[in-house]
Amino acid sequence: RIAETAGEEAGRKITSATFHSFCAAVLRKYSGQAGIPEDFRVLDEEEQRGILEEVLRETAGGKRGPRLRAAASYIEERKRFLLLPGQTSPGFSAAGLELFAGEAAALRADPLLEAVYAGYRNRLKALGVLDFDDLIAGALRLIARRDSVPAPGPYSHIFVDEYQDVNFAQYVLIRALVPSKTPAMSEASAASMASTVSGVSPVSAGAGSTGEGATGEGPRLCVIGDPDQAIYGFRGADPRYIDRFREDYPGAAVYHLTKSFRCAAPILSAADSLSGRRLEGKAAPARIVRCQYPTEKAEAEGIARRISRLIGGSAFFALDSGIVDSTEEGGLQSFGDCAILLRASAMAAPIEKALKDHGIPFHLIGEKPWREELHIYVEAVNILTIHASKGLEFDHVFIAGLEEGLLPFTLYDGDSSPDSIATNTKIEEEKRLLYVAMTRARTGLYLSHARSRMFQGRKLDYGPSRFLRHLEPHVPAETETLPPRKKDPQLRLF
């Protein structure tokens, strides 16, 4: 997209990277100052787990110690807040760190887990390797040491996409790269934009902010984000950082992009009922319905039958059952234009079975696209979690399991107070998650829930999701019934 916008030659001069790959490049370039091998390797999750298990056994000394998941989460959180073992505050200064005191109120130091963290860090140093969370924290410490690492390097402009999803370490990194609050820097652009807008890259959205700062003090900054799509709170992301952008950079210009080039107007209108926003959708026909099914198996069968009708019948099963006699508005040209979105990957099994029964090719996509390249299969229905669908779009989208307990996902909240700030914050994020799911659809959106469902060995019958109340006026209900099987014209011998 950058090459198409700026041209091939100019595109080659533009650094395009994730936070983590950018920081990895910084660490490799200045590995000597960082005290790490130039050819350091980043551990994958399996290697990280293996090393942490060894450290846990050594730290526990034969006694029952912390669980692996608890230790991993503890270490990840400490690194996200830029803390080395034993530290109660980051050991360096940088713009943005003034927020640490407020953020640290939720942190709880655990002496045993601190010992595990120290042992884990020592093991990684001895092996000359880093884990995924070391990249941002390590690069940031280097950049903060202006005497040893020139920052931000050769860049005159820095563009940050999905700014609503940054966590504390990423926020401080951006502030370290563009720390100035002087009038010369106040012309930086902040584009508050719904991700329903497609085809607009950070480069084109920030075109009004190009050019050197008036005093040449540093790069200009353009961030793009939409607080209505902040869905990574469990990874430490916080939309408050985008909310304070103009406080960090006084006088910044703000551009509100309010037209969607992806979603048909009826789909966007329904999604807006969750956000309270009013965005302009594409003037195009759309199919949007909601269905209730008795069980998760019936729901999966209903989804498979509808996909089969959309494609025009994918197997002899469809012909035999009479499914292809029913037509749908806006048929599928390719199975890859269709996605089934789930709140949790554990919901996928009955859907996989139903698609197999109907001869529909499918691919189950992993839950963590921020750690791996993400391949969308053009000749298969894509089954993926809502989190993994962020940034993607499909002609037809099915959102299954719109039930209390699943969306919002509250099954394991235990005795959490329903009126607590933490609970309300989570529910609001879950509502934004459904908004993201709905706005993945271009022309067809199908919402469904089951009256009862087996989920990870539990029978759930908590009723429809509370979010459906917002959607009912905008999404017509439809009853899905199995067409009668056609009588076999073959004469019987007996």
Side-chain angles (χ1 to χ4, degrees):
R1 185 174 289 178
I2 289 174
E4 291 174 358
T5 304
E8 289 289 342
E9 184 177 350
R12 284 194 293 269
K13 299 177 182 179
I14 296 173
T15 298
S16 176
T18 64
F19 276 97
H20 293 91
S21 62
F22 171 80
C23 290
V26 170
L27 288 172
R28 292 195 191 281
K29 185 173 182 179
Y30 300 101
S31 57
Q33 292 93 319
I36 56 178
E38 184 179 359
D39 60 347
F40 70 83
R41 194 168 55 82
V42 180
L43 297 174
D44 61 32
E45 291 187 3
E46 186 176 348
E47 293 173 312
Q48 182 180 358
R49 184 168 54 249
I51 293 173
L52 187 53
E53 285 174 341
E54 291 178 9
V55 174
L56 283 169
R57 285 194 295 268
E58 294 171 1
T59 306
K63 299 179 182 179
R64 184 177 180 181
R67 293 184 175 181
L68 178 66
R69 180 176 294 182
S73 296
Y74 183 86
I75 293 171
E76 180 183 347
E77 182 180 61
R78 306 303 279 188
K79 291 184 178 183
R80 190 167 66 238
F81 285 100
L82 308 172
L83 299 177
L84 296 174
Q87 287 187 334
T88 56
S89 63
F92 61 92
S93 61
L97 284 179
E98 67 274 7
L99 292 182
F100 179 79
E103 303 291 349
L107 295 175
R108 295 288 185 271
D110 182 289
L112 182 55
L113 288 173
E114 280 292 309
V116 173
Y117 182 15
Y120 174 75
R121 177 174 169 79
N122 289 337
R123 182 66 58 85
L124 265 56
K125 288 179 68 175
L127 294 172
V129 298
L130 301 179
D131 69 17
F132 196 70
D133 298 304
D134 284 325
L135 297 175
I136 292 178
L140 181 51
R141 290 188 183 93
L142 280 177
I143 291 171
R145 293 164 51 194
R146 302 275 175 173
D147 58 329
S148 60
V149 177
Y155 308 115
S156 61
H157 303 79
I158 293 178
F159 299 85
V160 185
D161 197 9
E162 305 288 8
Y163 197 78
Q164 79 282 347
D165 289 333
V166 300
N167 60 29
F168 182 73
Q170 293 165 340
Y171 168 76
V172 178
L173 175 66
I174 294 166
R175 295 294 311 281
L177 292 172
V178 191
S180 177
K181 297 179 72 170
T182 64
M185 290 305 299
S186 68
E187 297 176 6
S189 294
S192 177
M193 126 183 193
S195 73
T196 49
V197 178
S198 64
V200 181
S201 72
V203 174
S204 59
S209 66
T210 56
E212 286 291 333
T215 64
E217 292 181 5
R220 289 196 170 185
L221 175 66
C222 173
V223 306
I224 295 175
D226 177 11
D228 287 335
Q229 299 193 54
I231 60 173
Y232 291 111
F234 69 99
R235 298 285 300 177
D238 196 324
R240 288 180 300 170
Y241 301 137
I242 193 172
D243 291 340
R244 61 172 287 131
F245 185 89
R246 277 182 283 182
E247 182 180 339
D248 294 334
Y249 301 97
V254 177
Y255 301 93
H256 295 278
L257 306 182
T258 58
K259 183 174 181 179
S260 170
F261 295 93
R262 172 192 302 149
C263 301
I267 292 174
L268 198 57
S269 177
D272 284 348
S273 69
L274 295 172
S275 69
R277 257 216 192 140
R278 288 295 175 265
L279 300 177
E280 182 183 350
K282 199 168 55 170
R287 175 75 164 169
I288 176 169
V289 297
R290 56 187 167 90
C291 291
Q292 176 179 275
Y293 297 92
T295 67
E296 78 280 6
K297 292 180 180 178
E299 178 187 49
E301 175 66 16
I303 291 172
R305 290 204 309 266
R306 193 181 291 271
I307 293 173
S308 188
R309 293 199 301 267
L310 285 168
I311 204 70
S314 60
F316 286 114
F317 180 91
L319 295 170
D320 184 55
S321 63
I323 289 174
V324 294
D325 282 353
S326 178
T327 59
E328 294 281 350
E329 295 180 20
L332 271 176
Q333 300 301 311
S334 166
F335 285 118
D337 292 331
C338 178
I340 302 172
L341 306 186
L342 310 173
R343 179 58 182 85
S345 58
M347 300 165 61
I351 291 174
E352 291 179 78
K353 182 182 183 306
L355 295 179
K356 284 180 183 177
D357 289 345
H358 285 260
I360 298 173
F362 65 89
H363 178 70
L364 183 63
I365 296 173
E367 290 190 271
K368 298 180 179 178
W370 55 86
R371 295 199 182 194
E372 58 192 64
E373 292 296 359
L374 183 60
H375 296 291
I376 298 302
Y377 281 65
V378 295
E379 291 304 330
V381 171
N382 293 282
I383 307 173
L384 61 166
T385 64
I386 300 174
H387 282 101
S389 74
K390 183 74 182 297
L392 304 177
E393 55 187 82
F394 305 89
D395 284 346
H396 296 267
V397 169
F398 293 79
I399 306 174
L402 277 169
E403 299 140 35
E404 281 294 303
L406 290 179
L407 193 61
F409 196 83
T410 56
L411 283 181
Y412 304 111
D413 286 359
D415 298 327
S416 299
S417 170
D419 298 320
S420 69
I421 294 176
T423 298
N424 290 333
T425 299
K426 178 177 180 179
I427 296 301
E428 285 303 307
E429 181 165 310
E430 293 285 302
K431 186 191 293 185
R432 295 194 295 268
L433 189 61
L434 179 55
Y435 175 88
V436 167
M438 294 175 67
T439 53
R440 300 310 93 199
R442 297 187 188 105
T443 58
L445 179 62
Y446 312 89
L447 312 178
S448 61
H449 66 277
R451 288 195 294 269
S452 67
R453 173 186 305 272
M454 291 302 298
F455 179 79
Q456 295 187 323
R458 296 173 59 178
K459 183 177 181 180
L460 308 180
D461 53 3
Y462 299 145
S465 168
R466 69 188 74 182
F467 301 144
L468 283 175
R469 291 196 295 270
H470 298 276
L471 298 173
E472 285 174 358
H474 307 274
V475 185
E478 187 174 276
T479 301
E480 179 82 4
T481 57
L482 182 65
R485 187 179 294 270
K486 286 186 175 181
K487 185 177 180 181
D488 191 345
Q490 179 71 39
L491 294 174
R492 296 184 180 275
L493 297 178
F494 304 100

